[in-house]
Amino acid sequence: MPIGTAAGLDPTVLLDTAYCQARIGLDEGGIPIGAALFSADGVLLGEGRNRRVQHDDPSVHGETDAFRAAGRQRDYSSTIMVTTLSPCWYCSGLIRQFGIGSVVIGENRNFVGGEDWLREAGVAITVVDDDRCVAMMADFIAENPLLWNEDIGVAEDA
Amino acid sequence: MPIGTAAGLDPTVLLDTAYCQARIGLDEGGIPIGAALFSADGVLLGEGRNRRVQHDDPSVHGETDAFRAAGRQRDYSSTIMVTTLSPCWYCSGLIRQFGIGSVVIGENRNFVGGEDWLREAGVAITVVDDDRCVAMMADFIAENPLLWNEDIGVAEDA
């Protein structure tokens, strides 16, 4: 079942929350990737953003931060992970391990992680292809290539 | 190249650090999974443990905690992630995304996550099959099945 069918949720509206988190991160001097975890009926369970720079913490990606903010849940199968950028393997692994049922992706032009792998595992994937997300990430990568490479585990001299 | 060949590191010695973290977690009332990230020459970069219970935080698995404790690194290819239990998809994704070159696994009898997937991606996997780790996890799961299921994303009524 595609994302939002049950409750009539609009992926672009859900994406606004993640985008806002990414913009906050950018204003903080961080990597502009935001995420949010919603229940099937559209309740915001948690939101978050990449904090590598802000907290000097490489483990905080947008999706892991939103997942943490949502606290301990017993069943993720009906939840929706919304993220401004295609989830990396780390975040794809999170989604798969906890059985998050749906993922809304702002864009996958600047980076593609495990979205096909998730789709094959039965996760409902919706790619919004949002122009704001594309431009925000493209500009950031162009201006901060080393920081971006650090965030996706590409060694500096690669 | 198998783990430890370069510097003559003994996987069972590296595992002691992760095992100690797991025991600390158990004493704290937590899920007893510990991990440590080492450099190729055996320097401990970071250690950690599952803190779902202690911090009420579902995002802190042993491996992600050790990864965080190691701080921001430019190149993980020569590092060694040591964990008491076969890494789940979340932690396997972490290892793959950041290009951690080697993984030492205490045991994979109580749980198997993405270790074959990592091996196929070129990660050097060493399974110690440590009796202490097997017994510690088996006892914990037997006594705390719901908590264990929560930690691996299995819904309570499954």
Side-chain angles (χ1 to χ4, degrees):
Chain A
M1 185 174 65
I3 163 69
T5 300
L9 301 178
D10 181 344
T12 66
V13 173
L14 300 181
L15 183 61
D16 282 344
T17 301
Y19 179 73
C20 182
Q21 285 292 311
R23 293 294 308 190
I24 292 170
L26 191 61
D27 290 344
E28 292 169 340
I31 299 170
I33 305 173
L37 189 70
F38 288 92
S39 71
D41 52 358
V43 174
L44 178 61
L45 302 173
E47 58 187 349
R49 55 191 179 273
N50 189 300
R51 316 244 197 174
R52 173 177 293 273
V53 174
Q54 297 95 313
H55 293 180
D56 225 23
D57 184 342
S59 76
V60 186
H61 276 197
E63 296 91 326
T64 67
D65 199 35
F67 179 81
R68 171 187 298 153
R72 293 167 60 179
Q73 306 277 337
R74 281 296 338 175
D75 188 346
Y76 292 90
S77 60
S78 66
T79 65
I80 307 157
M81 178 65 84
V82 185
T83 175
T84 55
L85 184 67
S86 183
C88 76
W89 284 116
Y90 173 37
C91 298
S92 296
L94 173 85
I95 290 160
R96 179 161 175 174
Q97 186 63 51
F98 291 98
I100 292 170
S102 305
V103 179
V104 171
I105 297 171
E107 62 107 351
N108 60 6
R109 294 176 185 264
N110 287 295
F111 178 79
V112 179
E115 67 181 71
D116 286 343
W117 179 72
L118 289 173
R119 196 179 281 112
E120 288 164 14
V123 180
I125 305 285
T126 301
V127 180
V128 176
D129 197 25
D130 182 87
D131 289 342
R132 300 168 305 173
C133 292
V134 173
M136 177 176 63
M137 204 63 217
D139 290 349
F140 182 83
I141 293 172
E143 292 168 12
N144 304 275
L146 294 184
L147 184 54
W148 169 240
N149 280 344
E150 181 188 326
D151 198 57
I152 55 172
V154 175
E156 196 160 2
D157 58 356
Chain B
M1 184 174 70
I3 165 68
T5 300
L9 301 178
D10 181 344
T12 65
V13 173
L14 300 182
L15 183 61
D16 281 344
T17 301
Y19 179 74
C20 182
Q21 284 292 311
R23 294 295 307 191
I24 292 170
L26 192 62
D27 290 345
E28 291 168 341
I31 300 170
I33 305 173
L37 189 69
F38 288 93
S39 71
D41 52 358
V43 174
L44 178 61
L45 302 173
E47 59 187 350
R49 55 191 179 275
N50 188 300
R51 315 242 197 175
R52 172 176 294 273
V53 174
Q54 298 95 313
H55 293 179
D56 225 22
D57 184 343
S59 76
V60 186
H61 276 197
E63 297 90 326
T64 67
D65 200 35
F67 179 79
R68 172 186 296 153
R72 293 166 61 179
Q73 306 277 336
R74 282 297 337 178
D75 188 344
Y76 291 91
S77 61
S78 66
T79 65
I80 307 156
M81 179 64 84
V82 185
T83 175
T84 54
L85 184 66
S86 183
C88 77
W89 285 116
Y90 174 37
C91 298
S92 296
L94 175 85
I95 291 161
R96 177 160 176 176
Q97 185 63 49
F98 291 98
I100 292 170
S102 304
V103 179
V104 171
I105 296 170
E107 63 106 350
N108 59 7
R109 293 176 185 265
N110 288 296
F111 177 79
V112 178
E115 67 182 72
D116 286 341
W117 180 71
L118 289 173
R119 195 178 282 112
E120 289 165 13
V123 179
I125 305 285
T126 302
V127 180
V128 176
D129 197 25
D130 182 87
D131 289 342
R132 300 169 305 173
C133 292
V134 173
M136 176 175 63
M137 204 64 218
D139 290 349
F140 182 83
I141 292 171
E143 292 167 12
N144 303 274
L146 294 184
L147 184 54
W148 169 240
N149 280 344
E150 181 189 326
D151 198 56
I152 54 172
V154 174
E156 196 159 2
D157 58 356

